[in-house]
Amino acid sequence: MDLEAAIALAGAAANSAAGEAGASAWRALVSLARRLTGRAEAEPAAPEPEDRDALVAMIAARAREDDAFAAALREWAETHREELAPSQTTVHNTISGGATVHGPVIQTKEIHGGLHFGS
């Protein structure tokens, strides 16, 4: 895996850290970052968005400057690639059967966060 793909996967791990699928990858990424910073702390919590961005930026900068760290990041990415890969399922949403719809309709597989109609 190339370095930029590994960095992108680090961003995916940070963004999915609160969910079950990304928790293991997130813990491993934080462990890798701790080796970078030399800080040992308690079990990492799900990061705030600004902390995620900062962590990924720090990891990316270090990996671009340090071949050994880049190799460790690529190894991490190979290990967690499947865990962080988007689901390969297909969703088919249909409104049929003479349905009468009054108002907005959303057809989707997943929604992460709020959904609001109107003002």
Side-chain angles (χ1 to χ4, degrees):
M1 176 178 295
D2 71 27
L3 181 57
E4 294 308 311
I7 291 168
L9 207 58
N15 289 324
S16 64
E20 224 175 286
S24 173
W26 169 249
R27 285 189 299 272
L29 184 64
V30 169
S31 177
L32 186 65
R34 285 183 182 149
R35 284 188 266 162
L36 163 65
T37 62
R39 292 179 7 196
E41 297 174 5
E43 181 73 17
E48 294 298 323
E50 61 275 3
D51 297 335
R52 296 176 209 159
D53 294 343
L55 176 64
V56 173
M58 179 185 69
I59 288 171
R62 177 66 180 266
R64 290 181 181 122
E65 296 172 0
D66 181 338
D67 290 340
F69 187 78
L73 180 61
R74 283 192 298 272
E75 181 179 336
W76 169 86
E78 286 293 338
T79 300
H80 296 282
R81 177 187 356 201
E82 301 248 342
E83 179 181 349
L84 296 168
S87 172
Q88 298 300 316
T89 60
T90 303
V91 175
H92 299 279
N93 296 302
T94 306
I95 298 175
S96 64
T100 303
V101 178
H102 301 279
V105 174
I106 298 284
Q107 295 185 330
T108 182
K109 178 180 176 201
E110 295 178 25
I111 296 176
H112 300 276
L115 182 62
H116 306 277
F117 292 100
S119 50

